[in-house]
């Protein structure tokens, strides 16, 4: 497994994989890798021949008061996970390679970037869209793999790739959960055992939403209120939002649709957790 720090090293390795007739799969990450990331690598292994992972804690997607400095960076464990997953190339760039001094080019998907997570974290999706565009252009992969856990992120990336005509197919893989139901996230490492228990209220609220929909409820507000009550009723949890939205556009709903997405965000101590579930409705 090659660990590359420069763009040229990646391009040379990808060129020789392509010359050998191999298709290329790419998993962009910020490291602190867990089984959720591993499932994205496994999807690349199933569908492609040459596998790239990038590990880069992207400063432009963190707000001034967010956890950039304390974000976990377990380099050795991350590289070991990539090695055992059968990854061929890890792109591990220093910040100056991605953002040289006086860097000034940014990508923004208007509208979608200022809703929900974007309203709570201004500038976050501009940073994500910028770094993902750069990484996709550097890797030049046939397919890139993202988790459904970051639902708004994958929505924005799909729109961006389509509108910029980027030649990489975006594949979205299901959220992986711990046995207790907590969606896997690198930020779960910040939670104390008590906070982890409190964090289970997110998946409980999503299950409740599906049950209410299954019971035939026709009011969007009733379902949103029920999810919010689960979060607000759990000590140590401060809800940011608990909403039902259109699964493609993330627009607000006035009526129940055959497919909807329930999206939740809450603060547990100083950690922000997000989760979501696509709800299927028998109309
Ligand atoms: O989901 C993540 O880990 C990051 O937002 C991404 C897509 C790697 C961009 O930094």
């Amino acid at each position: 497994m090659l660990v590359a720090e420069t763009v040229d090293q990646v391009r040379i390795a990808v060129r020789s994989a392509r010359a050998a007739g191999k298709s290329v799969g790419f998993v962009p990450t910020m490291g602190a890798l867990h089984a959720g990331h591993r499932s994205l690598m496994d999807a690349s292994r199933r569908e492609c021949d040459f596998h790239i992972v990038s590990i880069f804690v992207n400063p432009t997607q963190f707000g001034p008061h967010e956890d950039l400095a304390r974000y976990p960076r377990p380099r050795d464990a991350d590289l070991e996970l990539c090695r055992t997953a059968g990854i061929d190339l890890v792109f591990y760039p220093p910040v100056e390679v991605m953002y040289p001094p006086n860097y000034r080019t940014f990508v923004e998907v208007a509208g979608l970037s200022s809703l929900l997570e974007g309203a709570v974290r201004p500038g976050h999706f501009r940073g994500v869209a910028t770094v993902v565009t750069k990484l996709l252009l550097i890797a030049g992969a046939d397919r890139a793999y993202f988790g459904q856990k970051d639902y708004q992120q994958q929505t924005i990336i799909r729109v961006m790739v389509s509108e910029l005509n980027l030649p990489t197919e975006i594949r979205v893989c299901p959220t992986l959960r711990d046995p207790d139901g907590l969606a896997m996230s690198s930020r779960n490492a910040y939670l104390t055992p008590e906070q982890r228990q409190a964090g289970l209220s997110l998946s409980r609220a999503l299950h409740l939403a599906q049950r209410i929909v299954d019971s035939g409820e026709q009011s969007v507000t009733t379902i949103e209120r029920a999810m919010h009550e689960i979060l607000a009723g759990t000590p140590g949890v401060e809800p940011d939002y608990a909403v039902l939205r259109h699964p493609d556009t993330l627009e607000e709903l006035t009526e129940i649709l055959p497919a909807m997405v329930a999206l939740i965000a809450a603060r547990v101590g100083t950690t922000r957790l997000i989760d979501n579930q696509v709800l299927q409705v028998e109309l």
Side-chain angles (χ1 to χ4, degrees):
M1 184 178 82
L2 176 67
V3 181
E5 295 203 346
T6 69
V7 173
D8 280 352
Q9 281 174 298
V10 177
R11 294 226 161 108
I12 290 166
V14 171
R15 211 174 294 138
S16 67
R18 289 220 177 276
K22 295 182 175 176
S23 62
V24 179
F26 176 38
V27 181
T29 80
M30 296 208 302
L33 302 175
H34 50 67
H37 296 110
R38 171 69 199 244
S39 73
L40 303 180
M41 298 178 204
D42 292 343
S44 176
R45 290 288 305 272
R46 284 193 298 276
E47 297 181 349
C48 304
D49 306 315
F50 183 82
H51 314 285
I52 309 174
V53 168
S54 65
I55 300 180
F56 179 61
V57 182
N58 172 36
T60 63
Q61 71 189 74
F62 287 78
H65 304 296
E66 292 185 356
D67 54 347
L68 174 62
R70 74 163 177 154
Y71 198 85
R73 290 163 172 85
R75 183 185 164 99
D76 291 349
D78 281 353
L79 292 178
E80 188 51 31
L81 189 146
C82 292
R83 211 167 277 121
T84 50
I87 297 305
D88 298 293
L89 168 63
V90 174
F91 181 41
Y92 210 128
V95 176
E96 331 66 85
V97 164
M98 296 302 283
Y99 300 112
N102 303 321
Y103 185 88
R104 63 201 149 175
T105 305
F106 292 89
V107 178
E108 184 156 10
V109 179
L112 270 177
S113 295
S114 43
L115 322 166
L116 301 168
E117 283 304 284
V120 184
R121 307 180 65 190
H124 169 67
F125 287 119
R126 180 183 190 248
V128 170
T130 301
V131 82
V132 171
T133 302
K134 286 169 69 72
L135 290 168
L136 291 178
L137 290 171
I138 292 166
D142 297 286
R143 300 185 189 90
Y145 298 84
F146 294 86
Q148 190 191 310
K149 154 92 182 3
D150 296 297
Y151 196 92
Q152 189 175 1
Q153 168 173 284
Q154 60 84 18
T155 304
I156 288 172
I157 289 170
R158 284 190 293 110
V159 168
M160 178 188 87
V161 163
S162 157
E163 294 187 357
L164 292 178
N165 308 105
L166 299 179
T168 301
E169 184 189 341
I170 301 302
R171 311 284 274 173
V172 177
C173 301
T175 305
L176 250 65
R177 296 180 182 280
D178 284 326
D180 59 9
L182 191 69
M184 288 187 188
S185 163
S186 305
R187 289 193 168 95
N188 292 351
Y190 300 147
L191 300 172
T192 64
E194 296 74 34
Q195 288 173 335
R196 213 196 133 82
Q197 276 305 112
L200 297 180
S201 58
L202 277 80
S203 53
R204 274 209 312 277
L206 293 171
H207 279 130
L208 177 68
Q210 182 66 67
R211 281 207 308 279
I212 301 178
V213 164
D214 290 346
S215 76
E217 176 59 55
Q218 289 303 309
S219 160
V220 170
T221 325
T222 302
I223 301 167
E224 290 181 337
R225 202 175 299 137
M227 291 195 292
H228 196 275
E229 275 167 13
I230 296 246
L231 299 178
T234 306
V237 176
E238 280 184 57
D240 273 335
Y241 56 79
V243 293
L244 293 191
R245 292 288 170 104
H246 187 286
D248 299 324
T249 63
L250 302 184
E251 277 163 8
E252 289 181 23
L253 301 179
T254 51
E255 57 176 6
I256 299 292
L257 301 179
M260 305 178 286
V261 60
L263 298 150
I264 287 188
R267 267 159 296 141
V268 181
T270 54
T271 306
R272 248 182 121 256
L273 298 179
I274 58 174
D275 202 351
N276 67 80
Q277 189 169 321
V278 174
L279 305 178
Q280 300 300 337
V281 186
E282 305 243 346
L283 290 177

